[in-house]
């Protein structure tokens, strides 16, 4: 999968955190080991991170660490269900106002989910997933319909466990795959993995916007 | 946790025991514990082998210790020779002697005197270590790091001229940290906020943010100031 990477040095410059903080957070398992990607560069070995995810994570840590100790934070980050807001409900206006879901997505799928006017946390997560893929131009509206149906119907089966969404294409036909994490899937040669989203990422993205 | 008091494990002499969850684990002599151990307190004197992981709130050990898994503790005081086949994780650690970690070392505070070898990453809050021989680490990532040379005897100085392995130095690929105060260190790259390169250092490349001082006896390849 093609994902934008950011070098450790750029990350520190961009976020203003220090080497010590980064290592401390890693020790406290605030940043998963898998995000440290080693690559050889002209200066020798360098560490890179998945850009979008690490920036969001660092942002969230900085935001939350005022109220919580690092250990509490680690627990919160490790367990998605706990920092998901089970009782959260947002109205369509709030979703738009906080820039969580775009108007197009909401118009198309909003009615399908909401019996009333409020959206539950789970529904919001689904909307965010669909919205993200749509706005990146990675899938068309018909596929979005399919994805939204799949998510609505099936995510409850994971019963609070983490899942990942794989969106793949082969010969123009598209598929969605939901798998419990951690999952390593291997596809045959003609297959293109368009996108990979995990529940953790979605929830974190959402949390960043809610705080 | 259950309210039932946990049993103690006490071994003396040349014996073996089974792993499990204990309150106190007291080992004296040549002891071998098979299986993972979790305890409040581990006290070990002699030649001790843990066949598996070991976890303790508090640990005191003297002599020779081998752990064929991961060692985790809240605080540890150790004198002697320790080999860990996997990772070492802990809060506070005072360590005199020889430490070999085949995986990564993660500690909040590390202080002591002697030699350490970490194959992977040594990640720590504060390290204050006095070297008595050749120490090695794959990489080091810290908040503060102070490396000094312990006052060696005359014999030590003579021997180190003949046998390179006895030369007192720290060898690592890279050191990254907020405050680095180094002596007798050989590294490819040193990156930090405040960096002090003391005598006997050989550094390929230094990147610093706020402050850098280099001892006249140190050799530094390339210097770069970051954060512009």
């Amino acid at each position: 999968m093609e994902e934008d990477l950011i070098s450790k040095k750029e990350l520190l410059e961009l976020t203003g955190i220090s080497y010590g903080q980064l290592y401390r957070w890693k020790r406290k398992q605030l940043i998963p080991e898998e995000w440290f990607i080693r690559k050889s560069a002209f200066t020798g070995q360098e560490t890179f991170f998945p850009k979008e995810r690490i920036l969001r994570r660092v942002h969230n840590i900085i935001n939350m660490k005022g109220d919580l100790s690092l250990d509490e934070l680690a627990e919160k980050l490790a367990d998605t269900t706990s920092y998901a807001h089970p009782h959260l409900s947002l109205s369509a206006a709030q979703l738009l106002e906080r820039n969580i879901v775009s108007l197009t997505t909401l118009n198309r799928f909003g009615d399908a989910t909401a019996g009333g006017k409020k959206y539950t946390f789970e529904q919001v997560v689904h909307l965010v997933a669909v919205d993200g893929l749509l706005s990146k131009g990675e899938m068309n509206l018909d596929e979005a319909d399919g994805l939204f149906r799949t998510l609505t119907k099936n995510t409850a089966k994971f019963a609070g466990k983490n899942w990942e969404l794989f969106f793949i294409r082969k010969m123009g036909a598209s598929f969605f795959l939901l798998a419990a994490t951690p999952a390593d899937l291997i596809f045959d040669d003609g297959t293109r993995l368009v996108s990979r989203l995990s529940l953790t990422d979605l929830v974190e993205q959402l949390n960043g916007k809610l705080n | 946790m259950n309210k039932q008091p946990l049993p103690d494990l006490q071994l003396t002499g040349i014996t073996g025991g089974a792993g499990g969850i204990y309150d106190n684990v007291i080992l004296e002599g040549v002891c071998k514990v098979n299986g993972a151990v979790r305890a409040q307190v581990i006290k070990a004197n002699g030649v001790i082998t843990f066949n598996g992981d070991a976890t303790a709130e508090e640990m005191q050990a003297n002599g020779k210790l081998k752990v064929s898994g991961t060692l985790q503790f809240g605080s540890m005081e150790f004198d002697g020779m320790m080999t860990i086949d996997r990772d070492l994780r802990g809060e506070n650690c005072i360590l005199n002697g020889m430490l070999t970690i085949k995986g990564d070392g993660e500690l909040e505070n590390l202080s002591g005197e002697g030699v350490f070898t970490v194959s992977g990453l040594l990640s720590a809050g504060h390290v204050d270590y006095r070297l008595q021989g050749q120490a090695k680490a794959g990489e080091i990532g810290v908040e503060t790091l102070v490396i000094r040379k312990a006052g060696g005897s005359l014999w030590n100085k003579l021997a180190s001229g003949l046998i390179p392995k006895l030369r007192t130095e720290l060898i690592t690929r890279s050191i990254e940290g907020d405050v680095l105060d180094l002596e007798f260190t050989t590294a490819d790259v040193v990156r930090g906020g405040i960096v002090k390169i003391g005598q006997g250092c050989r550094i390929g490349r230094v990147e610093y943010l706020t402050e850098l001082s280099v001892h006249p006896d140190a050799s530094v390849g390339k210097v770069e100031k970051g954060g512009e």
Side-chain angles (χ1 to χ4, degrees):
Chain A
M1 185 187 38
E2 295 295 309
E3 195 174 15
D4 264 358
L5 295 178
I6 184 172
S7 77
K8 191 188 272 173
K9 213 169 142 188
E10 284 168 342
L11 175 72
L12 297 188
E13 277 171 18
L14 217 62
T15 55
I17 60 172
S18 69
Y19 284 112
Q21 268 174 310
L22 190 68
Y23 281 104
R24 165 168 283 243
W25 292 348
K26 186 190 178 192
R27 280 202 303 282
K28 295 285 183 193
Q29 275 145 35
L30 297 180
I31 300 171
E33 182 90 45
E34 311 90 74
W35 291 9
F36 288 72
I37 302 160
R38 346 205 87 265
K39 282 193 170 181
S40 44
F42 67 100
T43 48
Q45 273 231 328
E46 282 236 39
T47 309
F48 291 84
F49 300 90
K51 186 169 180 178
E52 224 172 285
R53 283 190 280 172
I54 189 82
L55 286 177
R56 215 181 299 134
R57 176 63 63 100
V58 168
H59 179 79
N60 278 347
I61 295 172
I62 293 173
N63 268 344
M64 290 198 278
K65 79 177 168 147
D67 316 325
L68 297 166
S69 76
L70 285 182
D71 287 319
E72 286 168 337
L73 244 173
E75 258 169 51
K76 241 186 165 182
L77 288 170
D79 184 4
T80 346
T81 44
S82 82
Y83 82 123
H85 309 276
H87 306 299
L88 175 113
S89 63
L90 291 169
S91 68
Q94 279 173 304
L95 287 179
L96 289 173
E97 184 196 326
R98 299 197 184 199
N99 213 0
I100 296 171
V101 180
S102 71
L103 187 61
T104 336
T105 315
L106 204 61
N107 280 341
R108 193 169 174 102
F109 305 102
D111 300 319
T113 39
K117 285 163 226 115
K118 297 263 183 181
Y119 298 91
T120 64
F121 186 73
E122 231 187 356
Q123 286 169 330
V124 176
V125 169
H126 298 164
L127 285 172
V128 169
V130 175
D131 193 46
L133 285 175
L134 271 177
S135 62
K136 276 190 209 150
E138 281 173 343
M139 88 184 154
N140 60 37
L141 281 171
D142 285 340
E143 287 165 341
D145 285 340
L147 170 63
F148 193 67
R149 263 202 313 277
T150 319
L151 287 175
T152 313
K153 219 164 94 191
N154 296 313
T155 48
K157 290 179 187 159
F158 288 104
K161 269 189 268 167
N162 262 328
W163 48 263
E164 255 185 296
L165 169 77
F166 294 83
F167 178 38
I168 51 179
R169 248 184 234 282
K170 187 174 183 183
M171 316 280 280
S174 56
F175 307 87
F176 298 106
L177 230 133
L178 289 173
T181 42
D184 282 321
L185 300 185
I186 294 165
F187 304 101
D188 76 68
D189 287 345
T191 312
R192 196 166 78 86
L193 178 62
V194 183
S195 196
R196 182 178 179 170
L197 288 172
S198 75
L199 177 61
T200 335
D201 292 342
L202 290 171
V203 171
E204 203 167 307
Q205 195 182 337
L206 192 50
N207 269 359
K209 286 182 180 169
L210 287 175
N211 287 331
Chain B
M1 288 296 271
N2 51 355
K3 292 269 157 63
Q4 228 174 15
L6 291 165
D8 290 350
L9 176 71
Q10 200 157 3
L11 301 176
T12 314
I14 306 176
T15 49
I21 302 175
Y22 298 103
D23 191 14
N24 296 301
V25 172
I26 296 161
L27 309 169
E28 266 157 13
V30 182
C31 304
K32 195 170 190 173
V33 180
N34 290 310
V37 180
R38 178 184 287 271
Q40 261 317 304
V41 181
I42 295 182
K43 281 187 185 166
N45 295 304
V47 182
I48 314 292
T49 308
F50 286 103
N51 251 337
D53 297 343
T55 309
E57 259 322 296
E58 204 182 299
M59 185 152 176
Q60 275 179 36
N62 299 298
K64 199 175 160 194
L65 180 76
K66 188 174 159 55
V67 181
S68 70
T70 294
L71 176 64
Q72 269 191 61
F73 53 81
S75 70
M76 176 169 80
E77 271 179 53
F78 183 81
D79 290 290
M81 216 170 119
M82 168 151 49
T83 309
I84 294 159
D85 283 353
R86 298 260 278 286
D87 303 338
L88 174 77
R89 284 205 195 97
E91 293 289 323
N92 300 308
C93 179
I94 300 172
L95 204 136
N96 299 312
M98 255 175 98
L99 168 70
T100 307
I101 304 171
K102 292 185 181 156
D104 296 338
E106 297 187 354
L107 296 156
E108 285 313 314
N109 294 300
L110 168 66
S111 61
E113 206 173 304
V115 180
F116 59 83
T117 306
V118 183
S119 307
L121 166 75
L122 173 65
S123 166
H126 308 282
V127 178
D128 187 345
Y129 213 77
R130 299 161 69 81
L131 298 174
Q132 284 179 336
Q134 194 183 63
K136 273 187 187 166
E139 288 169 75
I140 300 178
V142 289
E143 275 156 61
T144 60
L145 173 69
V146 180
I147 293 290
R148 288 282 174 273
K149 188 179 186 171
S153 66
L154 182 64
W155 283 112
N156 205 342
K157 277 176 195 151
L158 276 174
S160 65
L162 299 170
I163 309 164
K165 190 117 205 219
L166 291 175
R167 196 159 77 203
T168 303
E169 62 178 344
L170 167 66
I171 302 173
T172 178
R173 275 201 309 277
S174 78
I175 301 177
E176 294 180 340
D178 299 346
V179 181
L180 306 173
D181 184 350
L182 308 172
E183 272 183 13
F184 301 97
T185 300
T186 303
D188 296 341
V189 191
V190 172
R191 302 190 182 98
I194 300 169
V195 182
K196 200 173 155 196
I197 308 285
Q199 55 177 322
C201 285
R202 277 177 294 162
I203 314 289
R205 178 190 174 88
V206 178
E207 293 171 20
Y208 71 102
L209 282 175
T210 43
E211 239 182 275
L212 172 72
S213 66
V214 179
H215 193 274
D217 279 356
S219 95
V220 172
K222 216 172 157 190
V223 176
E224 196 181 296
K225 187 176 190 321
E228 258 112 49

